[in-house]
Each structure stands twice: as structure tokens, then as C-alpha cells.
Amino acid sequence: MTENPFEGTWSYRSLLNDPHLDVSFDDLRFGQGTLVIEPAPMQRLAGTLGGPGWRLQLQGSRSYGDPMTLRFQGNGLVNGEEWIYDYEGYLVPHWPNGIQQRPAIVGSIVRTIPHASQSGVSPAGVVASWYAVRQDD
């Protein structure tokens, strides 16, 4: 195990923050993909986040504490257009009585600049929640 608990490959999903319980999970989907956090010097974070047709390069920081925290920005060209998102996340603590608990990160994401979407324009400032579950544990 590396001393960087975030390093590795994670299954990433994000959901819109809609409080209405009658909204289906499919309608809450904001994004999904593979999050890869690469080896990096202490307190730095580097990697990629992407799925079919999109990929963001990640740069940011990580810090030890309770909980352990990461903060990063994802930048990329998707269909020739710049995408920028900002992320903050927290490593979920280990439950002493947990059964088959996998490492997970939970956090928040904001769209930093607008970009085109199937429905027109995806505006800047939209906030969603995200989580990632380690694949390679």
C-alpha cells in the first residue's frame, strides 16, 4: 500500500443535488467515469477523470487530517471545447465493524465555466455531489 491513500483507480459517479424524493436516480445523474489518481509528491494530486468521449487532466492537492481531504481542478478539451470543473473530496473513514468496506471518497463538484451540452448550454456554477469507490483494492 502506498502512503498516499488516494492513489489508484476509482469508479466515479456524480449526482445533482435535488431534494425531491420523486426524482429518479437516472434523472439525478450528473456524470460518471474512471478517476485515476497518480503517484505524486507529498501534498500534490495529479491524475485523470474521464469516460466515453471526455477526459479531464487533474491537478490539485491532498492533505492529511480527519478526514483526509483532496481538492483539485479538472481541465480538458471535449469535442474541441474547454471543460473546467473544481472538486473537493474526503476519504470516508474505515468503520471498525464494517463488512467488506471498500475505500471511498465523497465530495462536491462545481462546473467552473459553461460548455455546450445536448440540451444547449451547461451553465457555470452548477454544483453536484460526487463519490468514488476504489477499483484496485
Side-chain angles (χ1 to χ4, degrees):
M1 174 88 176
T2 174
E3 76 178 57
N4 177 352
F6 297 109
E7 186 179 313
T9 302
W10 305 75
S11 295
Y12 167 93
R13 294 174 179 90
S14 56
L15 301 168
L16 294 169
N17 293 333
D18 187 321
H20 299 98
L21 292 173
D22 59 343
V23 176
S24 75
F25 271 100
D26 286 342
D27 292 337
L28 295 173
R29 180 190 299 217
F30 190 70
Q32 71 179 32
T34 301
L35 170 64
V36 177
I37 299 177
E38 300 167 351
M42 184 64 115
Q43 298 180 344
R44 283 206 46 233
L45 184 133
T48 60
L49 174 60
W54 66 281
R55 181 180 170 101
L56 304 177
Q57 288 295 129
L58 309 178
Q59 289 191 7
S61 63
R62 60 185 169 94
S63 61
Y64 290 98
D66 189 16
M68 294 185 188
T69 304
L70 48 76
R71 188 175 187 111
F72 56 91
Q73 186 171 81
N75 295 280
L77 284 180
V78 179
N79 296 324
E81 184 174 20
E82 186 174 33
W83 282 20
I84 302 177
Y85 287 83
D86 284 288
Y87 301 79
E88 185 165 77
Y90 307 93
L91 189 64
V92 173
H94 176 75
W95 287 98
N97 61 341
I99 297 172
Q100 297 179 345
Q101 179 180 358
R102 296 189 64 78
I105 306 167
V106 297
S108 184
I109 174 179
V110 63
R111 185 181 297 120
T112 308
I113 64 170
H115 62 73
S117 68
Q118 292 176 352
S119 59
V121 174
S122 294
V126 173
V127 175
S129 295
W130 67 275
Y131 72 99
V133 178
R134 185 185 297 279
Q135 292 180 5
D136 55 356
D137 189 38

